[in-house]
Amino acid sequence: MSQVTVMERTPHIAKPFVASAAPAASDGSRIGFENVSVTYGALTVLHSFTLTVNPGEIVALIGPSGSGKTTALRAVAGFVRPSGGRILIGDRDVTHLAPYDRKIGMVVQNYALFPHMRVEENVAFGLRAHGAAEDVIKKRVPECLAMVGMSTYAKRYPRELSGGQQQRVAIARALAPKPQVLLLDEPLSALDAQIRRSMLDELAKLHRDLPNLTVLYVTHDQSEALTLANHIGIMRDGKLKAFGGSQSLFRHPPNRFAAEFLGRANLLPVTDVQPLDEQMAKVRFGDVTLSARNHHGLARGSDCLVCVRPHDFRFSRASEPNSISGTVLSVQWQGDVHNITFDAGGETVRMTSAPMANPPRIGEIIAVHFDAAEVTLVPEDASHG
Amino acid sequence: MLVWSKPWRIATWAVAVPLFLIIYGLPIGVIVLASFSGQWNDILPSNMTLVHYSKAFRSDSFDALKASLLTGVIASGAALVCGTWAALALRNFKTMPKRVLDLLFFIPSAVPSVSVGLALLVAFSQPPFLLNGTTWIVLIAHFVLISAFTYGNVTAGLARIPVDCEQVAESLGARPFYRLRRVTLPLLLPYLVAAFSLSFALSMGELGATVMIYPPGWVTLPVRIFALSDRGAIFDAATMATILGVGTLIVLAILSKVSNRAAVR
């Protein structure tokens, strides 16, 4: 069994992240980055980047603008030449191969359909470029168009399609030559929210239909990553700051940056970690004692952060365990939820709740609690500003 | 609209339209009228006739029209091929070498055409490069004078082609020549047509260099017009000028239609 193994580079964690993922397909579709660096003049945009995407997996790279996630993807595609390290597709070292020899499919944000070709010609492009026989093309193009629900649009030009339709065609075009890996570079960013949601469902379905396809998905939208990806890598400043299974990374972020970027967690500074057993620990938040998961094995007596997602808070009485109280700063109704911020011991805390008929008023003192099993202690990230 | 008040807008139009008609319309109108004139002793011409046109399509003037069209097409075609090649080749050059080569390409467009004509005359009047007195020297002069514009147009077009399209084509397995043939050149087509149109129009009107180097057997239309007006045959010169203008406009209109069709796709 191969494993996804990425060394975390924050100073607090010595052990590597290990997320097991059973390879579902042949090793020929594995994507491997081995200490890949990319520099532009004096500027290094990717620092010794190491990551393995196992066959049949979807791995999402997320991070703020300039974090290097698109550079990493473009390095796999061959449009960025690494200044160091190796890139592997399967067992092939493709670091110095031209893009047309890499056997990849690529979908970009603005679709990049060829405007002078009809939809069917766009989809056939890769097959023709590979010298496929005409009868193969005639069979494969309708298959791919059917896969993305675009069969009836075969004769249209890209300008006659909506954004969502164009992106479907772009996906069909990328899949037509049966690539080993599919690279998706913010494929849904140019679509409006409603179409984006439906395209996300379609991409998930597509991967269920093509379980052997290895996908590297670059996005700045955490909900896309959480919906689609088996594993997520969080990048900042050209480095992989965190990597793990989607749920694991969301529930137990390894550092402050990961916790804030993925799900906008509340990070309350706590002191004096007292491990209760291998799983749980007690900490002090001001005068209050809280319990939380000690997933990262923080040492007794250390200071750290407790990561509480906004939806993990429940209104309570102050006497309940894991309860904190604070003064309401703002209340916003957003249809399906109420967003409330309150001040607890000088920390601004966000919580969400189901819509309430009588929400708390600004200035009111409220008490909330959380389930200790749902929250995690996170080491302070020294590199975080 | 810069002028919002209606009276001022009317006043602006009242000044601009006559000014435009005097500066642009009057010379063209006079040339066209003169081409149909048998006599012009008063404010307007008299004895209107088509005899100048019938002469134009029978005499040396017709050969001049053919020479101009052939020169325009051949020189523009060659400039288009070379300018496109150069623009594609220099596209991935780093800033400094590209600037130097850009400068080299644009020098002929900055030098007066008479100087280019004289330079070619001197350069190609001695063996082993003895082209003086041949059609080649005219074609070379036109090529040198228009290639900068072709290169400039194609370079501007290349800058506007979405890089993603070409990169996606490569990721789909398209090798460089296949990508060039199936993606880059079709996307560039409107700019290629525009480059050819501009080059053709410039070549059709070129006089400064041509008048210094043309051989007796390859007299272009501008040279013929110059010669006719020089010896006082104004009506014939006006007829040739009208034919030159209309001929060029027809070719440009056809090219514009091709360009629009390519751009819509």
Side-chain angles (χ1 to χ4, degrees):
Chain A
M1 179 187 286
S2 68
Q3 291 182 316
V4 176
T5 306
V6 176
M7 292 299 295
E8 167 59 14
R9 295 178 191 286
T10 52
H12 290 273
I13 295 180
K15 67 178 183 182
F17 284 115
V18 178
S20 70
S26 74
D27 283 0
S29 60
R30 179 192 290 119
I31 303 171
F33 295 85
E34 291 182 0
N35 291 311
V36 176
S37 294
V38 175
T39 54
Y40 297 119
L43 181 70
T44 302
V45 291
L46 206 59
H47 297 262
S48 295
F49 183 73
T50 297
L51 174 77
T52 302
V53 185
N54 276 327
E57 269 194 327
I58 301 180
V59 168
L61 287 180
I62 63 173
S65 297
S67 59
K69 54 190 189 298
T70 295
T71 304
L73 179 134
R74 290 170 65 78
V76 180
F79 302 123
V80 168
R81 188 161 289 188
S83 52
R86 293 200 310 162
I87 295 169
L88 303 167
I89 294 178
D91 296 326
R92 289 190 309 154
D93 181 348
V94 298
T95 316
H96 302 293
L97 274 188
Y100 48 80
D101 281 331
R102 295 193 180 204
K103 295 180 183 166
I104 54 166
M106 188 168 156
V107 178
V108 296
Q109 183 180 345
N110 62 1
Y111 331 124
L113 294 179
F114 308 129
H116 54 290
M117 294 181 196
R118 294 177 192 276
V119 164
E120 60 185 2
E121 293 164 335
N122 265 281
V123 176
F125 183 90
L127 296 165
R128 292 216 159 87
H130 283 104
E134 206 55 38
D135 57 330
V136 174
I137 295 171
K138 278 187 182 155
K139 188 165 171 280
R140 182 69 180 150
V141 169
E143 265 175 24
C144 292
L145 286 174
M147 202 164 16
V148 295
M150 289 296 291
S151 299
T152 51
Y153 298 89
K155 299 286 179 196
R156 294 208 186 169
Y157 281 103
R159 68 172 187 277
E160 297 165 337
L161 304 176
S162 69
Q165 290 169 336
Q166 288 190 46
Q167 198 56 293
R168 283 195 189 97
V169 176
I171 292 166
R173 179 180 64 178
L175 294 176
K178 298 187 177 170
Q180 292 175 315
V181 301
L182 181 63
L183 308 176
L184 302 174
D185 186 7
E186 309 218 18
L188 309 183
S189 301
L191 304 175
D192 64 48
Q194 199 176 349
I195 297 172
R196 195 182 309 166
R197 274 194 295 276
S198 87
M199 280 298 294
L200 209 52
D201 293 340
E202 287 185 31
L203 281 174
K205 180 183 174 299
L206 196 70
H207 195 250
R208 284 197 297 276
D209 295 343
L210 301 168
N212 293 343
L213 189 67
T214 306
V215 181
L216 183 61
Y217 190 105
V218 163
T219 179
H220 63 267
D221 185 330
Q222 49 155 319
S223 65
E224 287 177 23
L226 288 167
T227 307
L228 275 182
N230 307 101
H231 291 82
I232 294 174
I234 303 177
M235 297 190 67
R236 190 176 73 174
D237 300 334
K239 293 174 185 163
L240 195 63
K241 298 300 291 181
F243 184 86
S246 305
Q247 287 199 26
S248 163
L249 202 61
F250 186 80
R251 290 165 65 95
H252 310 298
N255 51 47
R256 179 180 198 136
F257 181 70
E260 285 180 334
F261 196 82
L262 197 63
R264 297 183 69 224
N266 293 292
L267 293 164
L268 308 176
V270 291
T271 57
D272 193 19
V273 174
Q274 297 295 326
L276 298 171
D277 53 38
E278 285 193 355
Q279 295 283 316
M280 307 299 290
K282 280 190 172 180
V283 288
R284 298 286 301 164
F285 175 62
D287 298 333
V288 184
T289 299
L290 302 174
S291 300
R293 278 184 172 272
N294 189 10
H295 189 78
H296 304 299
L298 298 176
R300 182 179 296 274
S302 59
D303 297 346
C304 61
L305 303 162
V306 62
C307 166
V308 192
R309 301 286 173 188
H311 61 266
D312 285 333
F313 284 113
R314 303 278 182 277
F315 287 107
S316 68
R317 292 184 304 276
S319 56
E320 280 191 76
N322 275 344
S323 181
I324 58 174
S325 56
T327 309
V328 174
L329 298 174
S330 71
V331 179
Q332 287 177 336
W333 175 68
Q334 291 189 335
D336 54 348
V337 290
H338 261 106
N339 284 324
I340 298 161
T341 57
F342 60 95
D343 181 286
E347 295 294 322
T348 301
V349 181
R350 288 187 306 275
M351 72 171 286
T352 55
S353 111
M356 293 171 280
N358 296 304
R361 290 181 302 277
I362 292 171
E364 191 178 329
I365 306 285
I366 57 168
V368 293
H369 78 284
F370 51 81
D371 181 353
E374 297 297 325
V375 301
T376 301
L377 298 180
V378 175
E380 266 284 11
D381 184 355
S383 65
H384 191 274
Chain B
M1 181 64 77
L2 290 173
V3 182
W4 287 99
S5 113
K6 197 174 176 184
W8 274 106
R9 222 163 42 228
I10 291 168
T12 308
W13 276 106
V15 173
V17 170
L19 212 59
F20 180 85
L21 286 176
I22 289 167
I23 294 171
Y24 290 98
L26 188 62
I28 294 171
V30 167
I31 293 289
V32 174
L33 271 180
S35 71
F36 292 104
S37 303
Q39 212 173 357
W40 198 333
N41 298 326
D42 211 338
I43 192 163
L44 285 173
S46 53
N47 298 338
M48 303 306 274
T49 174
L50 289 172
V51 70
H52 309 302
Y53 283 94
S54 65
K55 260 175 26 188
F57 288 102
R58 274 192 277 109
S59 62
D60 293 348
S61 298
F62 187 59
D63 292 338
L65 177 62
K66 275 197 298 186
S68 263
L69 285 170
L70 281 172
T71 305
V73 169
I74 293 168
S76 303
L80 186 66
V81 171
C82 295
T84 306
W85 191 353
L88 286 166
L90 294 183
R91 184 188 194 189
N92 296 324
F93 265 52
K94 300 248 183 283
T95 316
M96 199 54 204
K98 184 169 172 17
R99 274 190 195 159
V100 172
L101 290 164
D102 273 351
L103 188 68
L104 280 176
F105 261 100
F106 283 114
I107 280 175
S109 65
V111 174
S113 58
V114 177
S115 309
V116 172
L118 182 64
L120 290 172
L121 195 63
V122 173
F124 295 125
S125 291
Q126 299 288 331
F129 302 113
L130 184 58
L131 296 176
N132 192 7
T134 67
T135 307
W136 287 107
I137 198 166
V138 180
L139 294 175
I140 290 171
H142 281 232
F143 171 81
V144 168
L145 287 167
I146 62 181
S147 55
F149 297 97
T150 321
Y151 170 75
N153 255 336
V154 178
T155 302
L158 275 173
R160 297 190 64 179
I161 287 184
V163 178
D164 280 345
C165 275
E166 293 183 283
Q167 291 189 338
V168 165
E170 276 193 83
S171 75
L172 288 166
R175 290 177 178 276
F177 184 68
Y178 188 82
R179 189 199 70 204
L180 177 72
R181 192 166 58 81
R182 296 288 317 277
V183 178
T184 310
L185 288 179
L187 290 178
L188 206 53
L189 188 59
Y191 303 98
L192 297 179
V193 175
F196 184 89
S197 304
L198 178 64
S199 303
F200 181 78
L202 288 170
S203 173
M204 288 295 280
E206 210 298 310
L207 176 66
T210 316
V211 80
M212 300 190 73
I213 54 175
Y214 76 95
W218 199 260
V219 180
T220 62
L221 214 45
V223 174
R224 175 86 181 144
I225 293 165
F226 179 73
L228 286 169
S229 62
D230 196 40
R231 65 171 189 250
I234 297 297
F235 297 150
D236 289 332
T239 307
M240 298 313 296
T242 306
I243 289 170
L244 176 65
V246 171
T248 307
L249 279 177
I250 288 171
V251 173
L252 292 184
I254 293 167
L255 290 173
S256 165
K257 205 156 193 179
V258 174
S259 173
N260 285 343
R261 195 172 288 182
V264 165
R265 286 190 312 179

